[in-house]
Amino acid sequence: MSATILTEDLAVRFARIALGHVTREYPNKPDHVLAGPEDARTPRELHPVFFGSYDWHSCVHSYWMLARLLRRYPSSEAADDIRALFDAQFVAEKIAAECSYLAAPTARGFKRPYGWGWLLKLAAELALLENTNWRERMAPLAEIFAQRFRDFLPLATYPVRVGTHFNTAFGLRMAADYAAVTQDDAFGALLRDTALRWYGADQDCPAWGEPSGDDFQSSALIEAECMRRLLAPGDFLPWFDRFLPRLELREPATLFRPATVTDRTDGKLTHLDGLNLSRAWCWRSLAGTLPAADARRPILQDAARRHLNAGLPHIAGDYMGEHWLASFAVLAIDAEG
């Protein structure tokens, strides 16, 4: 089967899904600490930019997807709607309110590291668009999250290897794109040095805990993708050989089997659709790093296709998946970097 590509029709389909929920305030699952009765506020009051899409982080990465689709197809039938949304939402006073929220002591760990990485990924994408107003207005918020990485990483003795929002390899991987676009070499070095400290000695990964029942990331594959992004090819490939040494045998076998979803109205169970899509992204990126003659390359490409085919039909339907899955589909289909 040929690889799925991001056509204009598919981009419009994904854009319409996100445009339908990024400003949908309810239902909403806030990640919010109440220090007093004055903190009991609506999602829109707390987060005037990212109040939709069921939760803050899903709203952020849905905006990232819209920015990516706008860059890829600036004349599509959804493009003007995306521009109008950005003009309405990416304004100084709303961004300032998002920044103000983060100043509260109770927000120190807000969305760490998943939301941190996605916000920086959004800022990196905005920097690639022709309209400079959006990226300039987003810059203060992005810098807060970049600084949170700078402050937190030296304190983090251990990585977090789960398959959910707390996975630290995912945070580093997404932040790397921001460091590259902003040409912040010191930040990039911090990300790389942290990845080496956490993961550099890992070898013969068994992937024995995959998948857990609510994973939407592969702890093994996102670690490999993190190292691929942060290391030079000459350093990455020997590490990758040690980390997953039996890929030619399609082992660990669990990484090659798409996950089964039994109830897409259950928000945790539908995470497994996201696992299939995020695995497809990682497999595709890792395959692209291997030399053309490498026997593992077609094996990884086939794994990417099978996981994408398992997840792509289910990005819309029930809101538990619809509010976030399209972003991971775009990662899997149109990954860069």
Side-chain angles (χ1 to χ4, degrees):
M1 180 179 293
S2 61
T4 301
I5 62 173
L6 185 66
T7 64
E8 184 169 349
D9 287 346
L10 194 55
V12 170
R13 177 190 169 202
F14 289 156
R16 292 296 180 208
I17 291 171
L19 288 166
H21 62 69
V22 290
T23 57
R24 176 177 171 176
E25 189 171 7
Y26 298 103
N28 199 289
K29 186 176 182 290
D31 183 359
H32 177 56
V33 177
L34 300 175
E38 68 280 0
D39 291 329
R41 294 181 285 161
T42 66
R44 190 187 295 262
E45 290 170 332
L46 292 169
H47 300 292
V49 181
F50 304 116
F51 60 84
S53 306
Y54 190 69
D55 50 46
W56 188 91
H57 54 257
S58 297
C59 197
V60 170
H61 61 71
S62 295
Y63 273 102
W64 164 80
M65 181 183 72
L66 290 169
R68 168 63 66 85
L69 299 177
L70 180 61
R71 178 161 66 89
R72 293 283 277 107
Y73 291 103
S75 300
S76 78
E77 66 178 50
D80 285 346
D81 290 338
I82 297 173
R83 293 186 182 97
L85 173 70
F86 287 7
D87 284 340
Q89 291 297 93
F90 298 161
V91 295
E93 58 270 26
K94 292 183 179 182
I95 298 296
E98 295 278 355
C99 293
S100 178
Y101 179 88
L102 297 170
T106 53
R108 179 182 180 185
F110 178 74
K111 300 299 181 181
R112 183 178 74 200
Y114 184 73
W116 296 12
W118 268 121
L119 193 285
L120 294 186
K121 181 74 168 169
L122 167 60
E125 191 64 41
L126 293 176
L128 301 175
L129 294 176
E130 291 184 5
N131 188 319
T132 61
N133 291 329
W134 301 327
R135 71 168 180 259
E136 290 169 359
R137 292 168 186 165
M138 190 62 64
L141 185 60
E143 181 53 30
I144 289 174
F145 282 107
Q147 189 58 46
R148 295 209 162 179
F149 272 111
R150 296 184 192 105
D151 294 340
F152 172 69
L153 293 180
L155 302 176
T157 305
Y158 311 107
V160 180
R161 301 177 184 271
V162 297
T164 56
H165 307 84
F166 308 105
N167 184 284
T168 45
F170 181 86
L172 296 183
R173 167 44 188 111
M174 302 309 255
D177 291 342
Y178 176 82
V181 165
T182 58
Q183 299 181 334
D184 190 335
D185 293 340
F187 187 37
L190 173 63
L191 300 172
R192 182 174 60 255
D193 292 347
T194 302
L196 286 169
R197 173 165 60 86
W198 283 344
Y199 310 119
D202 289 357
Q203 55 185 326
D204 199 8
C205 176
W208 64 265
E210 296 191 38
S212 292
D214 68 349
D215 282 355
F216 64 90
Q217 298 186 62
S218 162
S219 58
L221 294 181
I222 193 57
E223 178 179 332
E225 169 58 12
C226 171
M227 296 296 271
R228 181 205 66 81
R229 183 65 182 86
L230 286 167
L231 301 183
D235 296 322
F236 169 71
L237 290 173
W239 177 91
F240 189 51
D241 292 343
R242 296 190 301 271
F243 183 62
L244 290 169
R246 292 181 294 279
L247 291 179
E248 282 189 69
L249 302 175
R250 289 179 169 81
E251 294 180 354
T254 186
L255 295 181
F256 289 87
R257 290 193 296 266
T260 299
V261 183
T262 55
D263 184 354
R264 291 189 168 86
T265 67
D266 185 302
K268 292 293 189 178
L269 293 178
T270 201
H271 272 188
L272 294 167
D273 279 323
L275 175 65
N276 287 330
L277 294 170
S278 62
R279 278 184 175 182
W281 164 47
C282 292
W283 280 131
R284 179 176 178 267
S285 295
L286 295 166
T289 301
L290 298 177
D294 193 310
R296 295 170 297 178
R297 187 177 175 117
I299 293 172
L300 271 57
Q301 290 171 331
D302 177 67
R305 283 192 294 270
R306 289 190 293 109
H307 280 84
L308 182 62
N309 290 340
L312 194 58
H314 307 295
I315 63 169
D318 190 276
Y319 197 54
M320 285 297 95
E322 191 171 278
H323 76 270
W324 68 283
L325 285 172
S327 302
F328 278 83
V330 172
L331 276 179
I333 295 169
D334 200 47
E336 297 176 349

